[in-house]
Amino acid sequence: MQNIGRTRNQPRSNRSMSLGGLDYADPKRKSNYVGKILLAASLTALCIILLKQSPTFNTPSPFSLHEEGVTHVLVTGGAGYIGSHAAMRLLKDGYRVTIVDNLSRGNLGAVKVLQELFPEPGRLQFIYADLGDAKAVNKIFSENAFDAVMHFAAVAYVGESTMDPLKYYHNITSNTLVVLESMAAHEVKTLIYSSTCATYGEPEKMPITEDTPQVPINPYGKAKKMAEDIILDFSKNSDMAVMILRYFNVIGSDPDGRLGEAPRPELREHGRISGACFDAARGIIPGLKVKGTDYRTHDGTCIRDYIDVTDLVDAHVKALEKAMPGKVGIYNVGTGKGRSVKEFVEACKKATSVNIKVDYLPRRPGDYAEVFSDPTKIRLELNWTAQHTDLQHSLQTAWRWQKAHRNGYGSPLVMAS
């Protein structure tokens, strides 16, 4: 007779029992499963209770509150070359800073440097956002208590603007409108606007004063002038404090070597002449291309007013300090002295100690022959004067950073002797 019973050594089945084609779970296993759920729920509830009892659980972010004696500045484009230097100066002077940048031209590495320099809570925050997204910008303003805005964010290459003008009108003019609308909606009363000498075009008289007619000749200058016009029209029926700084060709970097200029490789062709000089000195490009030798200048090349970035951010801070409700200030920010491209190249050769190869090519579309400022107004009204006016010294400072950061902010290297 066959033994169909379970032997003594056969283990009890943990599987579900099948009766009439239906599965019924083992009641002991189901009880264990329910117990685990109840335990997890109890632990979760306990954690929530403990968090709520924590003194910091319901504490709002310091960036969301106005604090007496602390000025909270939104720095748009603060991951970029000029914006990061401005943010560092503001932080050094005790301001609270929020950087908003979409990193299309900026460098997250610059933000990390600032975070390492100023790690204290409530000093610096970075928000990744595009100023073209009006909903995102409005959300940023609704969640943060800004006292002022320094608006740097913009594409800023003359040559590129002639090739892709719509990008420039959207990025500069339209985005400035978005920022201004959010400032108005959330009652942020101070705007320091980063403009440019390109709004003047090619004036008949030199030097350029703030009363020189604005007749821009390229989309970059035109887009900036449109943004200025929007700001000025809005200010007529507002008590907003407005400062518009029209600056000239920016060079140099942080004297202590913490920040520098690191444009994206694909934008080198459109970049500043200083960047091209350094690339040639480092062998990244075979030589320097000087576009235009037939201008009506003493040596046939363009003449520009080169302003050190340290002086430029100082002008922005002074403008912020002097901004008055219901008032508009417009200032040229330059040295008041023009230098030709050939003179610039010779200074760069000396700064880098490299005999850079120079190729002379036809003019670049949208360029103008001669531009330099009359800084009298900013000196008298803001007590600002450029201090770093030695062209070769400014280039040497920038060159030190370039040598120590051959991959930009990607991987700092030990300074070469």
Side-chain angles (χ1 to χ4, degrees), residues 147-382:
D147 298 298
V149 174
M150 280 192 183
H151 183 28
F152 292 99
V155 285
Y157 296 132
V158 168
E160 185 189 37
S161 78
T162 64
M163 297 170 61
D164 193 355
L166 295 184
K167 173 190 285 187
Y168 275 67
Y169 292 120
H170 174 81
N171 180 275
I172 295 172
T173 311
S174 178
N175 288 5
T176 298
L177 179 58
V178 171
V179 171
L180 198 60
E181 287 175 333
S182 285
M183 289 182 69
H186 297 277
E187 298 185 342
V188 180
K189 299 295 188 180
T190 302
L191 172 64
I192 314 300
Y193 182 61
S194 166
S195 193
T196 171
C197 64
T199 63
Y200 293 114
E202 194 166 12
E204 295 179 0
K205 295 181 180 180
M206 286 291 143
I208 294 173
T209 72
E210 289 78 1
D211 294 324
T212 297
Q214 291 177 286
V215 189
I217 63 172
N218 53 60
Y220 170 57
K222 291 176 182 178
K224 282 287 189 178
K225 184 181 183 301
M226 289 180 184
E228 280 192 21
D229 290 341
I230 292 170
I231 294 168
L232 294 174
D233 284 343
F234 173 76
S235 69
K236 292 174 183 176
N237 297 305
S238 165
D239 61 351
M240 183 179 290
V242 174
M243 292 291 205
I244 295 173
L245 302 184
R246 297 172 183 158
Y247 43 88
F248 290 67
N249 294 67
V250 188
I251 59 171
S253 64
D254 169 42
D256 294 324
R258 295 163 293 187
L259 298 172
E261 182 177 15
R264 297 187 180 279
E266 65 271 19
L267 296 172
R268 291 183 188 277
E269 180 184 352
H270 302 294
R272 307 175 202 277
I273 184 174
S274 56
C277 279
F278 296 147
D279 285 348
R282 290 166 53 189
I284 295 175
I285 58 177
L288 184 64
K289 297 177 181 179
V290 174
K291 298 179 180 180
T293 59
D294 59 347
Y295 290 99
R296 295 173 60 185
T297 61
H298 68 275
D299 62 15
T301 61
C302 295
I303 289 178
R304 297 290 182 267
D305 189 340
Y306 296 99
I307 177 76
D308 192 287
V309 67
T310 301
D311 285 329
L312 180 59
V313 300
D314 183 53
H316 280 77
V317 172
K318 281 186 166 60
L320 178 59
E321 292 170 348
K322 298 281 188 177
M324 299 291 291
K327 302 292 184 181
V328 176
I330 299 176
Y331 302 97
N332 290 334
V333 187
T335 65
K337 183 178 181 180
R339 303 288 187 88
S340 75
V341 171
K342 282 186 178 179
E343 291 171 335
F344 187 97
V345 171
E346 289 306 311
C348 192
K349 287 180 179 180
K350 292 177 181 178
T352 61
S353 299
V354 177
N355 187 23
I356 299 167
K357 178 187 175 184
V358 182
D359 294 322
Y360 295 98
L361 303 174
R363 296 186 184 191
R364 181 176 63 177
D367 266 341
Y368 24 81
E370 185 177 29
V371 174
F372 62 94
S373 71
D374 178 353
T376 301
K377 184 181 179 184
I378 192 170
R379 174 174 57 83
L380 294 177
E381 296 187 9
L382 301 188

